[in-house]
Amino acid sequence: MQRQVAISPRATGTFLGVPDMPLLGLGLAALGRPGYINLGHGNDLTGKSVDDMRGNTAEVLSAALGLGIRYFDAARSYGRAEEFLGFWLGSLVPEQLSRTVVGSKWGYYYTADWQVDTGGQPHEVKEHTAANLRKQVAETSSHLGAHVTLYQIHSATLESGVLDAADVVSELETLKRQRGWKMGLSLSGVQQPLTLRKALGVRMSDGAPLFDCVQATFNLLEPSAGAALAEAAATGMSVIVKEALANGRLTVRNTNSSFAPKLALLQHMADKVRYAARHNTAHHNQAEWRCREDGVTNFGPPKYGTTVDALSLAAVIVQPFHPMVLSGATTVEQLVSNAAALELAGRLEASDVAQLVSELAQPPQQYWAERSALAWN
């Protein structure tokens, strides 16, 4: 296992009622199937057989737990992600298992049949019906059993009508009461804020809110859901952020020429000198770097000294709605780089985050159009 990374107090919080949770989780969208839309995903996989990917998933999950990551997020449509996750959970000793928190989703089903090139057919299909909910609850339970803490509607939208479906809402209330599962929903598209605000009004039969958690896309390119997520957090809902790296578009893998100026800013910021150099002649006339943090004077080169991916993730972790931010890593190497955000969050200056959001944010319509054009690979 990887050794646990330093975790800033700023990168911990209460999540789904569990205190002191590191605010970096692992999403399995790219781990449970050979095809996904992350940039360069295909090159990350050394083997694409079921056994190869099961082994890789277990390796990444074990590395995550070793790094201090404790929340794991799957879905019925992520190929065999639930199966792989359940297999790995079954290998843990009780002390390890007690540290994990597991979420999954219903509402899409996987149709790619372990293929990457589906001839233009969709890799997953949405069905937000009560019948599909019952079917997928049984499937999730067969793989994850008693490990489930959070169950989410996958990509709830106003168009799907799922939030107005009385039979679905009733089924979710029953699951919440009988199984003790927390209820959540994930969001996608330009109408994320509108969908979330509608979800805040969904009530159970006793008038209590149905939803305990919301999962949304929020990143330096697409921060438009921020105000709505803050509203949800203020009501007591937990917040999960997916696609914090914009499916690789906020990494050095994004070689699109139009992104080059933004990548240059990210790279410059990642290596930014945090405090000015000072020359101290009292110390043998040698240059001395001073860094003051938490009232302690440290000596050494005080840089962020980080990677673009860790910077992009840390900028989301420090948002005022205290989100659980998902890494979408496919390899241990990617995960270790991502996990550096847990320490960086404690040093990241608000002015730098504000500058990044100001200079990188796109209109939501542009962001989602570009996402829709990403190739499955």
Side-chain angles (χ1 to χ4, degrees):
M1 280 193 179
Q2 298 291 323
R3 186 172 60 185
Q4 183 168 339
V5 296
I7 301 175
S8 166
R10 196 177 180 193
T12 63
T14 297
F15 175 67
L16 297 176
V18 181
D20 301 320
M21 283 282 288
L23 296 179
L24 187 70
L26 179 63
L28 277 73
L31 286 167
R33 51 192 167 179
Y36 194 50
I37 62 172
N38 284 353
L39 298 182
H41 171 67
N43 294 328
D44 292 330
L45 301 174
T46 57
K48 298 181 177 66
S49 72
V50 172
D51 286 343
D52 287 336
M53 294 198 66
R54 181 186 291 109
N56 179 66
T57 300
E59 183 180 1
V60 176
L61 287 166
S62 293
L65 194 61
L67 289 163
I69 293 169
R70 297 168 54 195
Y71 176 66
F72 304 100
D73 190 271
R76 286 300 310 135
S77 64
Y78 294 170
R80 297 191 177 218
E82 287 186 334
E83 175 189 331
F84 293 170
L85 178 57
F87 175 81
W88 174 75
L89 289 167
S91 72
L92 301 184
V93 299
E95 188 276 331
Q96 293 173 316
L97 196 58
S98 69
R99 302 205 310 269
T100 64
V101 179
V102 173
S104 198
K105 311 180 197 74
W106 72 276
Y108 276 81
Y109 51 90
Y110 180 63
T111 57
D113 193 28
W114 217 249
Q115 302 300 308
V116 177
D117 183 356
T118 59
Q121 296 302 307
H123 284 243
E124 52 190 12
V125 174
K126 179 186 287 190
E127 184 184 332
H128 282 166
T129 63
N132 191 47
L133 169 58
R134 288 189 290 269
K135 175 178 179 290
Q136 294 198 314
V137 164
E139 293 166 343
T140 295
S141 297
S142 71
H143 294 303
L144 296 174
H147 302 304
V148 176
T149 297
L150 172 67
Y151 208 50
Q152 304 158 89
I153 303 173
H154 198 167
S155 192
T157 61
L158 299 178
E159 293 81 5
S160 78
V162 66
L163 299 179
D164 294 312
D167 53 351
V168 171
V169 171
S170 177
E171 290 277 350
L172 293 175
E173 178 178 350
T174 298
L175 288 170
K176 185 172 182 175
R177 295 190 185 282
Q178 293 185 353
R179 303 198 183 200
W181 290 357
K182 303 287 188 181
M183 286 296 133
L185 72 163
S186 73
L187 310 173
S188 292
V190 295
Q191 292 189 315
Q192 286 188 118
L194 292 176
T195 307
L196 175 52
R197 290 182 173 117
K198 183 177 181 66
L200 289 172
V202 176
R203 294 290 187 268
M204 297 190 294
S205 56
D206 62 359
L210 174 63
F211 295 111
D212 307 287
C213 184
V214 60
Q215 180 171 159
T217 294
F218 180 97
N219 56 55
L220 293 173
L221 297 174
E222 182 15 353
S224 66
L229 293 173
E231 292 170 23
T235 70
M237 288 181 73
S238 291
V239 175
I240 301 172
V241 164
K242 60 185 172 74
E243 300 180 10
L245 295 179
N247 300 108
R249 286 181 284 162
L250 281 167
T251 72
V252 295
R253 290 185 170 185
N254 190 347
T255 58
N256 191 304
S257 59
S258 65
F259 183 70
K262 296 181 177 183
L263 179 59
L265 172 61
L266 282 165
Q267 290 175 319
H268 172 75
M269 191 77 74
D271 199 40
K272 180 191 174 191
V273 176
R274 189 175 176 206
Y275 295 93
R278 297 176 59 183
H279 189 265
N280 190 332
T281 56
H283 287 268
H284 308 290
N285 294 321
Q286 294 183 3
E288 178 180 270
W289 293 82
R290 296 181 181 270
C291 172
R292 296 187 179 276
E293 186 167 5
D294 299 326
V296 177
T297 301
N298 301 305
F299 300 95
K303 295 183 177 182
Y304 284 153
T306 192
T307 57
V308 167
D309 59 285
L311 175 62
S312 298
L313 290 166
V316 179
I317 288 172
V318 300
Q319 292 299 311
F321 43 88
H322 304 295
M324 171 66 70
V325 180
L326 298 182
S327 163
T330 308
T331 68
V332 172
E333 180 183 17
Q334 290 173 355
L335 183 67
V336 171
S337 183
N338 290 177
L342 290 166
E343 183 275 332
L344 177 63
R347 298 186 286 121
L348 197 54
E349 297 178 8
S351 59
D352 288 339
V353 176
Q355 181 185 356
L356 290 172
V357 172
S358 174
E359 298 196 27
L360 270 67
Q362 299 175 320
Q365 292 82 358
Q366 178 186 350
Y367 176 89
W368 290 101
E370 291 179 358
R371 186 192 186 282
S372 295
L374 293 175
W376 289 79
N377 68 97

